[in-house]
Amino acid sequence: MHIFSSRVIQQNIYQTCSLINNLNHLQVNIFRLLSSATKNKKATPVGDQKSKDQKSKEQKSKEQKSKEQKKESFLRYLASLEAPMPGVEGRWVPRDDFTGEKGFGIFHCPSCKNGWYSAHAYKIYRQGCQKCEKMFFPIALWVNKMKQTFIVKQDKIEPHRSDLCEACQIKKCTRRNDDLF
């Protein structure tokens, strides 16, 4: 039986947040480079164009390699995380690679650096950060090796913040509080 200490969970969340921040910065830099390249396009002699095209290809190749390395690093990090519950077999995958609808999820708020896990994460719905209340999609979701059903004792269920659950707001969440509508 695995016991997860809050320190281990916080360390995992911090590492996940750092990797997500790196990916976000890379995407912003790529967008800036592409924007500036289209703004600064001028007619150039054919000979000069070839060298500029070659330099552009080399730059894009370096950027692509850097992006791939960061994604590989993120995937290695996800592989190192423990299961969301003891005895559950499966793996963490990036949100884009998740083929299900709902599952355990990892969230990260780049605004206030808060991170959290949720047993009610939806691929297509966001959850709000409890510190700053901004809404975010999960960065990773858990994929079970086999279909499993969990029974949770009523006294173990934590209160559900429907105001921070996009699925609740459109009445799709399985934990929504009907008395709030």
Side-chain angles (χ1 to χ4, degrees), residues 123-149:
K123 180 179 181 173
I124 60 173
Y125 301 119
R126 300 172 297 166
Q127 283 189 11
C129 174
Q130 290 187 7
K131 288 185 179 179
C132 69
E133 298 189 355
K134 291 182 180 177
M135 302 293 279
F136 299 97
F137 288 105
I139 57 170
L141 291 129
W142 181 260
V143 176
N144 288 322
K145 275 192 176 177
M146 57 182 30
K147 186 171 176 73
Q148 299 173 347
T149 304

Side-chain angles (χ1 to χ4, degrees), residues 144-168:
N144 288 322
K145 275 192 176 177
M146 57 182 30
K147 186 171 176 73
Q148 299 173 347
T149 304
F150 300 97
I151 298 172
V152 179
K153 295 180 182 179
Q154 279 301 112
D155 62 337
K156 298 286 185 189
I157 297 176
E158 295 180 20
H160 184 62
R161 294 273 315 265
S162 295
D163 60 319
L164 298 178
C165 178
E166 188 175 50
C168 277

Side-chain angles (χ1 to χ4, degrees), residues 12 15-16 19 68-82 92-94:
N12 288 343
Q15 290 173 344
T16 302
L19 290 170
E68 288 171 4
Q69 288 172 341
K70 287 184 179 186
K71 183 172 182 176
E72 287 174 17
S73 177
F74 180 63
L75 292 174
R76 279 193 305 275
Y77 169 72
L78 288 178
S80 74
L81 294 176
E82 294 187 25
W92 290 104
V93 296

